[in-house]
């Protein structure tokens, strides 16, 4: 009897759904070198490893300057960190360079996935104009932004997607200032409003959801597919290295980072949260918010609620 | 000559022995393991593999982050201090 209850409890956990996706991806070839020097518990490494497993060998990868470039995915000299061709575009021409590559292959008559794996700096700040242009021109590329909410590779500076009140080295916490005074860009929604064929948000805690979105992005043939991947960073966000997945899960469960997808601008939620948690639980788990007072937490709760309401009013 | 790739594929893999960074290492209790695969999909370095129908860890690249231990719902993995001669 006790054993049956134990088993039932086990079946009901969220984590059990991992089994399905695990069976799907475990035998796929791992195209990313295991020995790249990401920090312990890096979320972006999980994201890239799974993306390459799903998209397979027929992929051309662009990694702009950022964490993934710095840790050796692009490699040095004659070495590379992946088993697919990999490029090192500049921060401000990622999407335009890939557009050219895609057009070249289309002319040759070969079907390849052209993939960008760029950080939030290269996407929301520096590389934004060329990404927006490529989206408008309907260039057929897959663009994944791994959002670790700052320029982590150069020493944790603020970026356009660093959230309100978050600590970084350029938005310090002291008497005059308490973290970032501005609200972050709503980058995935900006991309959805380009009305491109496919836009999605994904989180490394929900791999099944992420894999299905990758597959949909790979099927797009008439324009740009954009995935905004929430990728916690233990070093820059100040939490212990084993909590990466837990933090990512909390962000979804508190509606801080809702999961949705959009086809030609039409939004649909992909993960329904039945028991919404207060944002406080997420903020308490992350060290970069440890200075927040109750008042400031309420302020953030209101911002999160407002954003979620706006998203809901846009969704089907 | 027909050009096949316009992007280079590296001659060799870029590899750092990240296993040397580890100060704690995951140890799996095979009796408690429910074979759910959670540790396999969440491991950043891709160090978990299946052999003889058992989930095992390859210590060559495992950095000892502890994600597998804290995500395992069956508490089958514990982190122990790494001892090196
Ligand atoms: S997460 Fe735990 S129970 Fe599941 S396969 Fe890994 S060790 Fe076994
Ligand atoms: S400790 Fe980290 S790197 Fe090592 S097997 Fe577990 S999840 Fe992978």
């Amino acid at each position: 009897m006790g054993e049956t209850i134990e088993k039932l409890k086990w079946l009901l956990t969220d984590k059990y759904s991992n089994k399905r996706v695990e069976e799907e991806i475990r035998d796929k070839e791992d195209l990313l070198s295991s020995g790249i020097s990401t920090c312990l518990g890096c979320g972006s490494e999980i994201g890239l490893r799974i993306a390459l497993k799903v998209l397979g060998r027929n992929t051309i990868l662009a990694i702009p300057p950022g964490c993934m470039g710095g840790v050796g995915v692009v490699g040095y000299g004659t070495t590379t960190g992946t088993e697919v061709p990999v490029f090192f575009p500049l921060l401000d021409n990622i999407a335009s360079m890939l557009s050219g590559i895609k057009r070249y292959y289309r002319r040759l008559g070969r079907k390849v996935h052209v993939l960008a794996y760029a950080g939030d700096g290269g996407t929301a700040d520096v590389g934004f104009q060329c990404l927006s242009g490529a989206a408008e021109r309907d260039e057929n590329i897959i663009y994944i932004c791994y959002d670790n909410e700052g320029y982590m590779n150069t020493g944790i500076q603020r970026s356009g997607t660093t959230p309100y009140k978050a600590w970084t080295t350029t938005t310090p916490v002291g008497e005059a200032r308490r973290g970032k005074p501005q609200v972050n860009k709503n980058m995935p929604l900006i991309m959805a409003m380009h009305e491109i064929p496919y836009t999605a948000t994904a989180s490394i805690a929900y791999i099944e959801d992420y894999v299905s979105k990758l597959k949909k992005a790979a099927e797009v043939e008439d324009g740009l597919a954009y995935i905004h991947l929430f990728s916690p960073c233990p070093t820059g966000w100040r939490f212990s290295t084993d909590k990466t997945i837990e933090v990512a899960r909390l962000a979804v469960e508190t509606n801080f980072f809702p999961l949705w997808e959009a086809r030609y601008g039409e939004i649909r939620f992909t993960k329904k949260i039945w028991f919404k948690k207060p944002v406080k639980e997420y903020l308490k788990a992350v060290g970069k918010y440890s200075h927040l007072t109750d008042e400031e937490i309420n302020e953030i709760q209101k911002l999160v609620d407002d954003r979620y309401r706006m998203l809901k009013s846009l969704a089907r | 000559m027909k050009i096949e790739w316009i992007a280079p594929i590296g001659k060799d893999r870029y590899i750092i022995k990240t296993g040397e960074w580890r100060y704690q290492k995951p140890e799996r209790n095979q009796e408690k393991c429910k074979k759910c695969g959670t540790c396999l999909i969440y491991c950043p370095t891709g160090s978990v593999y299946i052999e003889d129908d058992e989930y095992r860890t390859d210590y060559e690249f495992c950095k000892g982050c502890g994600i597998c231990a804290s995500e395992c719902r069956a508490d089958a993995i514990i982190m122990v201090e790494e001892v090196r001669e």
Side-chain angles (χ1 to χ4, degrees):
Chain A
M1 188 62 201
E3 214 172 88
T4 332
I5 292 174
E6 268 305 301
K7 193 142 194 206
L8 266 178
K9 263 197 208 154
W10 172 252
L11 282 169
L12 287 173
T13 53
D14 211 10
K15 291 170 186 175
Y16 193 76
S17 74
N18 286 340
K19 187 69 195 165
R20 283 195 298 263
V21 64
E22 190 250 346
E23 272 166 6
E24 190 183 331
I25 63 170
R26 72 177 172 210
D27 295 326
K28 294 226 169 102
E29 209 179 357
D30 193 352
L31 296 168
L32 182 63
S33 161
S34 293
I36 54 172
S37 52
T38 49
C39 304
L40 277 71
C42 174
S44 315
E45 188 179 356
I46 309 178
L48 182 55
R49 201 171 290 284
I50 294 198
L52 287 179
K53 273 194 176 185
V54 174
L55 296 177
R57 267 190 189 274
N58 218 5
T59 304
I60 292 182
L61 181 63
I63 305 270
C67 287
M68 285 296 118
V71 300
V73 177
V74 185
Y76 302 94
T78 57
T79 63
T80 55
T82 65
E83 293 186 27
V84 297
V86 52
F87 263 113
F88 199 46
L90 299 176
L91 262 177
D92 48 7
N93 69 354
I94 307 156
S96 16
M97 193 166 177
L98 285 179
S99 310
I101 293 170
K102 183 72 191 193
R103 286 178 184 206
Y104 175 82
Y105 277 99
R106 185 173 282 162
R107 201 154 169 192
L108 284 186
R110 279 188 62 172
K111 215 176 149 341
V112 290
H113 296 307
V114 174
L115 170 72
Y117 197 73
D120 47 299
T123 307
D125 299 346
V126 195
F128 184 67
Q129 58 84 14
C130 79
L131 173 61
S132 179
E136 190 267 331
R137 293 193 308 271
D138 277 341
E139 301 288 355
N140 185 208
I141 57 184
I142 306 171
Y143 198 107
I144 302 178
C145 164
Y146 61 94
D147 185 5
N148 48 22
E149 300 181 344
Y151 292 84
M152 297 312 179
N153 158 50
T154 47
I156 323 172
Q157 288 88 359
R158 93 194 261 292
S159 81
T161 64
T162 305
Y164 184 56
K165 294 281 183 206
W167 168 89
T168 65
T169 50
T170 45
T171 56
V173 174
E175 269 173 26
R177 273 224 197 175
R178 297 183 60 76
K180 187 180 165 183
Q182 298 88 9
V183 177
N184 63 334
K185 281 186 199 179
N186 198 340
M187 189 61 198
L189 200 58
I190 295 174
M191 288 313 290
M193 290 302 131
H194 283 72
E195 297 186 3
I196 49 179
Y198 194 71
T199 319
T201 61
S203 164
I204 52 155
Y206 295 86
I207 302 279
E208 196 178 19
D209 182 75
Y210 177 42
V211 167
S212 82
K213 284 168 177 169
L214 277 169
K215 282 197 258 173
K216 284 177 196 166
E219 279 164 15
V220 171
E221 280 186 350
D222 55 342
L224 195 131
Y226 177 83
I227 296 179
H228 197 90
L229 179 69
F230 189 80
S231 166
C233 162
T235 311
W237 296 16
R238 300 290 189 248
F239 59 82
S240 106
T241 58
D242 62 329
K243 295 280 181 283
T244 310
I245 306 294
E246 203 175 307
V247 165
R249 190 180 292 119
L250 274 172
V252 174
E253 285 174 346
T254 55
N255 279 343
F256 187 86
F257 188 84
L259 295 180
W260 50 267
E261 62 181 8
R263 283 192 185 275
Y264 302 100
E266 206 172 307
I267 294 171
R268 187 179 76 86
F269 286 97
T270 55
K271 173 86 194 154
K272 174 110 185 87
I273 302 299
W274 295 102
F275 305 105
K276 189 173 78 94
K277 291 184 177 165
V279 140
K280 191 173 179 177
E281 267 184 55
Y282 167 68
L283 299 177
K284 288 278 175 224
V286 181
K288 67 175 174 178
Y289 298 112
S290 57
H291 59 282
L292 294 185
T293 60
D294 279 349
E295 225 166 83
E296 286 163 327
I297 289 176
N298 287 341
E299 213 178 324
I300 294 177
Q301 177 77 57
K302 197 174 161 299
L303 283 172
V304 168
D305 288 346
D306 283 351
R307 275 212 174 160
Y308 189 71
R309 205 173 307 123
M310 177 188 46
L311 198 60
K312 222 170 160 185
S313 70
L314 292 170
R316 260 194 299 166
Chain B
M1 194 185 79
K2 192 162 179 285
I3 300 163
E4 234 186 285
W5 302 103
I6 55 171
I9 303 184
K11 209 166 122 281
D12 310 298
R13 288 289 75 70
Y14 176 77
I15 281 176
I16 288 181
K17 291 260 171 284
T18 48
E20 288 165 12
W21 300 3
R22 196 171 53 234
Y23 64 95
Q24 50 174 6
K25 72 177 194 185
E27 256 174 24
R28 193 181 276 91
N29 180 342
Q30 295 294 356
E31 265 152 42
K32 280 192 183 172
C33 173
K34 294 230 180 19
K35 307 200 189 329
C36 67
T38 299
C39 50
L40 190 145
I41 61 168
Y42 286 139
C43 173
T45 60
S47 291
V48 182
Y49 64 101
I50 305 172
E51 203 177 83
D52 300 336
D53 202 29
E54 271 183 2
Y55 284 79
R56 293 183 185 165
T57 307
D58 177 356
Y59 292 114
E60 197 178 352
F61 296 110
C62 163
K63 294 172 191 161
C65 63
I67 288 182
C68 52
S70 66
E71 283 308 306
C72 174
R73 187 49 74 90
D75 290 333
I77 305 178
I78 49 164
M79 301 301 289
V80 297
E81 199 184 329
E82 175 81 48
V83 187
R84 284 184 225 269
E85 293 86 50

